[in-house]
Amino acid sequence: MHKDVTGTIFQIQRFSVHDGDGLRTTVFFKGCPLRCRWCHNPEGLRPGMLLAANRQLCVRCGRCQAVCPQGVHSISPGRHDVLRERCRTCGRCVEACPAGALHLVGRQMTAGEVVREALRDAPFYTTGGGVTCSGGECTMQPEFLLAVLRAAKDAGLNTAVDTCGYAPPDTFSRIAPYTDAFLYDIKAFSPELHKTYTGVDNALILQNYRMLHTRGARLDVRIPLIPTVNDSEEEIARIGRFLQEAGRPHALKVIPYHSPGHAKYAQVDEPIWEPEGRFTVTPEEAQRTLEAMLA
Ligand code: SF4
Ligand code: SF4
């Protein structure tokens, strides 16, 4: 028996069909070291619990301001400011709000609890399904991730890790023996491009890819294709050449950009971004180009 470990998640999604083989139970871990401008889960970016405020529902009654011991809420005509850095996520304002405008994102669970919840779906894992650890970025909680993967393997479940690849190599070395497949994002090959649109350099991501490939890990590469960012012929060719040289992935899928919508961003006060143009190379063309390069 391994020691159980507690972590913070913000969702468990049942019957996922895009997060690995078969039907999956996808666990979304809180916290991410990247800030991809097109992220679809802005509520998962910050580690730990988070207060979300839906200003469209807010009736400016001021009850949240009155009950909060930290002075987080500031209500003025037409405005509701949330000073998040002061929030202790005690939930008092959530309970006091008569409009349902506030909620806490995230909950603490042990690895054992996560896997027990996943096991409820086990009867449906008939075509290679299992548990997928996603986020946020699940490697940001390495001990919790390791504990979930070990517990899942102890229970006989297939495991996948959906990752941006930006974590200490040691984290990947430790989780690799308990991971059946890595869903590995390559967002750009050019370091400047990567830094501009995700906030971090990609050297570590490429290094981890090589290391995992050398170890024989299954790598299912996913490339989010974003108009005006990485959809040029040159950038797609650079990614293809990297994969040729570092090691061909088990599978490769180009994921077309879809707007994440602005409502979730506004609730957690993350900056909103939209690409300023259309695809230069379509996702289908990019997929064909990369498949031809890796054939
Ligand atoms: S959760 Fe607690 S600390 Fe945070 S804003 Fe609400 S009352 Fe204040
Ligand atoms: S308690 Fe709810 S409705 Fe009232 S000001 Fe705060 S968020 Fe708005």
Side-chain angles (χ1 to χ4, degrees), residues 53-54 57-65 73 75 80 93 96-102:
N54 184 337
L57 294 179
C58 173
V59 294
R60 318 269 189 272
C61 69
R63 287 195 201 169
C64 52
Q65 192 171 6
H73 298 275
I75 312 291
H80 179 174
C93 60
C97 175
L102 304 171

Side-chain angles (χ1 to χ4, degrees), residues 9-261:
I9 64 155
F10 62 100
Q11 193 186 355
I12 295 183
Q13 186 171 309
R14 307 176 69 192
F15 310 121
S16 304
V17 291
H18 299 297
D19 296 323
D21 295 343
L23 280 180
R24 317 290 301 183
T25 305
T26 304
V27 186
F28 293 85
F29 288 48
K30 279 281 273 146
C32 183
L34 272 59
R35 289 294 179 271
C36 304
R37 301 207 189 161
W38 51 86
C39 178
H40 276 237
N41 296 321
E43 74 277 34
L45 292 174
R46 299 182 199 218
M49 304 278 290
L50 178 69
L51 180 70
N54 184 337
R55 274 101 170 172
Q56 306 225 302
L57 294 179
C58 173
V59 294
R60 318 269 189 272
C61 69
R63 287 195 201 169
C64 52
Q65 192 171 6
V67 299
C68 176
Q70 303 294 332
V72 170
H73 298 275
S74 168
I75 312 291
S76 53
R79 281 187 74 95
H80 179 174
D81 294 315
V82 178
L83 302 174
R84 303 188 168 280
E85 52 290 354
R86 295 187 186 170
C87 178
R88 299 287 174 269
T89 60
C90 67
R92 283 190 213 175
C93 60
V94 176
E95 294 209 354
C97 175
L102 304 171
H103 72 276
L104 292 176
V105 180
R107 67 177 154 139
Q108 304 251 300
M109 285 183 87
T110 68
E113 287 168 342
V114 168
V115 172
R116 277 195 290 282
E117 192 146 333
L119 279 170
R120 291 168 53 206
D121 297 342
F124 304 100
Y125 298 159
T126 48
T127 52
V131 178
T132 299
C133 296
S134 182
E137 170 55 41
C138 55
T139 57
M140 257 194 104
Q141 300 182 64
E143 300 309 323
F144 179 50
L145 174 60
L146 184 60
V148 170
L149 292 169
R150 274 180 169 157
K153 293 317 291 178
D154 286 349
L157 298 179
N158 177 280
T159 56
V161 168
D162 176 5
T163 180
C164 69
Y166 193 82
D170 178 59
T171 297
F172 284 106
S173 297
R174 292 170 69 214
I175 64 172
Y178 309 98
T179 305
D180 293 309
F182 287 93
L183 312 178
Y184 203 95
D185 278 9
I186 304 267
K187 300 171 204 289
F189 179 76
S190 307
E192 320 79 53
L193 203 57
H194 202 277
K195 177 125 178 116
T196 301
Y197 288 98
T198 72
V200 304
D201 182 87
N202 61 352
L204 183 60
I205 295 167
L206 302 180
Q207 178 193 339
N208 282 327
Y209 180 92
R210 286 180 206 279
M211 185 268 286
L212 286 168
H213 197 278
T214 304
R215 291 180 63 123
R218 171 175 159 179
L219 289 154
D220 292 6
V221 164
R222 303 201 297 188
I223 301 168
L225 199 71
I226 316 297
T228 71
V229 175
N230 62 353
D231 61 332
S232 67
E233 284 180 17
E234 302 75 40
E235 187 58 23
I236 292 161
R238 282 187 199 118
I239 294 173
R241 282 197 294 276
F242 165 75
L243 294 172
Q244 281 174 331
E245 179 257 317
R248 286 167 166 72
H250 174 86
L252 180 144
K253 185 147 183 56
V254 173
I255 316 276
Y257 170 81
H258 291 292
S259 172

